[in-house]
Amino acid sequence: LMQEVVNTGGAQPEAFRLLGRFLMADGRKDDAVANYRVSLARRPNDPEGLKDLMKGLVEIDRASEALAVARSGLSGGQGDREFEDIWLRLEQQVGDANVARVRRERIATVRENDRDNLLALGEIYLRLNDIAKAEQMVARVRALGEDLDSVGLEAALLWASNKRAEAAGAYDV
């Protein structure tokens, strides 16, 4: 039905995004990405369109292309936390980890209890081999409450610190 709506012409960007989401759920990921592209072409700085396209590209293992979309869409995604998180995770994984670090450090000063940001910042410090700062992030995250993510970050820190036995036992209760 959504395909028919889109095929009639004149469909709004939301129709292409919705069709893309249906296609993604159906496993037709390349077709989904194609529809996300049409949606974004019709409304270039739409944060929802940007996020759908970035996530779709990641789903089909094209993270570098998703990062390029994020960078070109920074003005459209400004102020959208989900967009910012996707962009910074892409920078961390396939782009410039220092860009992600600087931005996440700034966020951490404004939103001191933003657990997801602190976890991501801890991961960045580990990637950059800054063990002392990673330890600080583990402490800040754990102070907000213990969960699987905080234990995972601590295990990664222990592993990076060459404390393999402790890292292996980090998940033991």
Side-chain angles (χ1 to χ4, degrees), residues 1-12 15-16 18-20 22-23 28 35 42:
L1 180 64
M2 277 307 300
Q3 187 68 60
E4 291 175 27
V5 170
V6 168
N7 288 345
T8 61
Q12 294 295 313
F16 288 95
L18 185 57
L19 177 57
F22 287 141
L23 292 167
R28 296 172 52 195
N35 277 278
R42 291 180 180 227

Side-chain angles (χ1 to χ4, degrees), residues 67-139:
L67 177 57
V69 169
R71 287 175 174 169
S72 69
L74 283 174
S75 63
Q78 192 168 16
D80 186 299
R81 283 188 182 187
E82 183 184 11
F83 173 89
E84 184 175 53
D85 186 60
I86 296 167
W87 164 52
L88 293 175
R89 287 193 183 278
L90 289 165
E91 286 289 2
Q92 175 183 344
Q93 294 165 3
V94 296
D96 187 342
N98 279 309
V99 167
R101 178 190 55 80
V102 168
R103 186 65 165 253
R104 289 207 182 271
E105 286 174 341
R106 195 172 324 139
I107 293 168
T109 63
V110 176
R111 300 189 316 246
E112 295 176 5
N113 296 328
D114 184 334
R115 182 179 196 79
D116 292 335
N117 185 65
L118 296 175
L119 284 164
L121 188 52
E123 293 168 6
I124 291 169
Y125 288 142
L126 285 174
R127 180 171 180 202
L128 297 174
N129 205 30
D130 192 336
I131 301 301
K133 286 188 179 178
E135 287 173 342
Q136 292 173 3
M137 286 306 105
V138 167

Side-chain angles (χ1 to χ4, degrees), residues 58-73:
V58 168
E59 280 288 318
I60 59 173
D61 296 322
R62 290 165 56 186
S64 294
E65 192 175 343
L67 177 57
V69 169
R71 287 175 174 169
S72 69

